[in-house]
Amino acid sequence: MLISLKGTPHTKMNIEREQIEAIAFSPDNTTLATATAQIIKVIDSKTGQLLHQWDGGGDVQFTPDGRTLVGFIKPAAENAQASLRAWDVKSGKILQTIPLKRSDIDRPFPIFDISSKGDSLIVATDYSNRIEKWDLNIGKLQQTWASEQQGKITTLALTPDDQTVILAQNNSLLFLSLSSGKIIKKANAYSVLNLMVDQREDQLISENRSELMLWQLQTGDRLAQWRLSGTLGIASKPVVLSPDGQLLATYTHEGPIKLWQLKSESSSRG
């Protein structure tokens, strides 16, 4: 699936005077979550209507069933405890809070991904080579791994079968087996800051602020790359792919959140 960002965005959402840190789609594409440094918002993706607003920020993700949203809660004071929090999307109720030691937070927020069953989190809490697995239902640490390479992990993503975590580290994409704790594949990729898995196409999209790259998930082969117009700036996830691979949301300093309807190269020819 080769995509183009040329043309007119499907929808534009003006977020007044806010620096967006992350964007996330619900699985059915009807809801969009945004995170600034301090505020998480849940928005109707068709109308732009605000549905919920919570304290928190840095990163947001929906569980695969779309019922839960996970986001980061910064500590209120220097020595206070940071955490990941899960909310019920429909009611806005807090479901779970996962504590993170303040000493673990060397970045503004942790990076994480949610398992395909929605019951666990893979978390990189700081700029080290360590990742953790947490039970999302009870907030318990289950397992810890360390990458074979030293250096900062800048982002990560789980494969659809939850057997492998893809790490962006040292200008490489590392495919780490969670069963063996070993690197099973490696690909060169410069300064990757965001990873998106397209489950339907068995592909991976990487982003480094100025361009996107398309990868074959099973082999780690690079299939295509294209440049983005505008500067994505410092947002943690300024580009996000919808679960069905049909919509792409982008945010730049030059304009509002834009939703793009993606078309395959084959369909554009027809």
Side-chain angles (χ1 to χ4, degrees):
M1 181 183 70
L2 302 181
I3 68 175
S4 172
L5 300 186
K6 296 180 180 179
T8 304
H10 183 265
T11 305
K12 291 185 180 181
M13 299 180 187
N14 288 295
I15 309 297
E16 296 183 2
R17 298 188 181 184
E18 294 180 349
Q19 174 60 56
I20 301 297
E21 296 286 345
I23 309 169
F25 277 106
S26 63
D28 61 5
N29 291 355
T30 62
T31 308
L32 192 72
T34 66
T36 67
Q38 302 293 338
I39 298 294
I40 291 173
K41 293 183 178 182
V42 181
I43 303 168
D44 186 297
S45 62
K46 293 184 178 180
T47 66
Q49 178 185 359
L50 179 65
L51 304 176
H52 295 294
Q53 180 172 309
W54 304 304
D55 292 336
D59 198 0
V60 283
Q61 283 193 45
F62 287 93
T63 53
D65 61 10
R67 297 179 181 178
T68 304
L69 184 74
V70 179
F72 176 56
I73 304 298
K74 287 186 176 182
E78 183 67 24
N79 296 322
Q81 191 172 57
S83 62
L84 290 171
R85 181 165 292 172
W87 293 269
D88 182 273
V89 173
K90 185 176 181 180
S91 68
K93 179 182 177 182
I94 296 174
L95 300 177
Q96 187 60 254
T97 299
I98 295 176
L100 301 172
K101 294 180 180 179
R102 179 59 184 171
S103 59
D104 289 340
I105 306 299
D106 187 39
R107 64 171 83 224
F109 48 86
I111 54 174
F112 64 92
D113 202 4
I114 302 172
S115 67
S116 60
K117 295 181 180 179
D119 58 355
S120 61
L121 300 174
I122 298 294
V123 184
T125 58
D126 58 14
Y127 279 125
S128 71
N129 68 335
R130 182 169 57 91
I131 58 174
E132 301 172 344
K133 181 180 180 180
W134 288 80
D135 188 303
L136 185 56
N137 295 317
I138 61 176
K140 183 179 180 180
L141 179 62
Q142 296 181 310
Q143 198 168 353
T144 300
W145 297 269
S147 169
E148 296 174 1
Q149 294 192 13
Q150 295 298 317
K152 301 174 181 179
I153 295 172
T154 56
T155 190
L156 59 80
L158 276 167
T159 54
D161 60 6
D162 296 333
Q163 297 301 306
T164 304
V165 61
I166 306 163
L167 309 173
Q169 187 183 22
N170 297 336
N171 292 327
S172 300
L173 294 181
L174 307 176
F175 292 69
L176 175 69
S177 169
L178 295 182
S179 59
S180 68
K182 302 294 184 181
I183 301 297
I184 55 177
K185 285 191 289 287
K186 179 179 178 181
N188 294 327
Y190 180 72
S191 297
V192 172
L193 298 172
N194 191 13
L195 292 170
M196 297 159 281
V197 174
D198 184 351
Q199 298 186 19
R200 302 182 74 178
E201 297 287 344
D202 194 33
Q203 293 174 347
L204 178 73
I205 297 175
S206 65
E207 172 264 316
N208 69 355
R209 295 294 181 267
S210 62
E211 64 182 2
L212 301 177
M213 291 187 180
L214 186 66
W215 306 83
Q216 213 288 324
L217 196 58
Q218 293 299 319
T219 65
D221 293 334
R222 188 173 69 185
L223 304 176
Q225 69 183 80
W226 58 98
R227 294 191 65 82
L228 294 170
S229 60
T231 303
L232 294 179
I234 62 173
S236 64
K237 289 191 174 179
V239 180
V240 65
L241 183 71
S242 64
D244 64 2
Q246 298 301 305
L247 291 173
L248 192 77
T250 63
Y251 173 79
T252 74
H253 291 313
E254 287 79 13
I257 293 175
K258 298 178 182 180
L259 301 187
W260 301 85
Q261 185 75 46
L262 303 185
K263 294 182 180 180
S264 68
E265 194 174 67
S266 58
S267 64
S268 65
R269 290 172 180 167

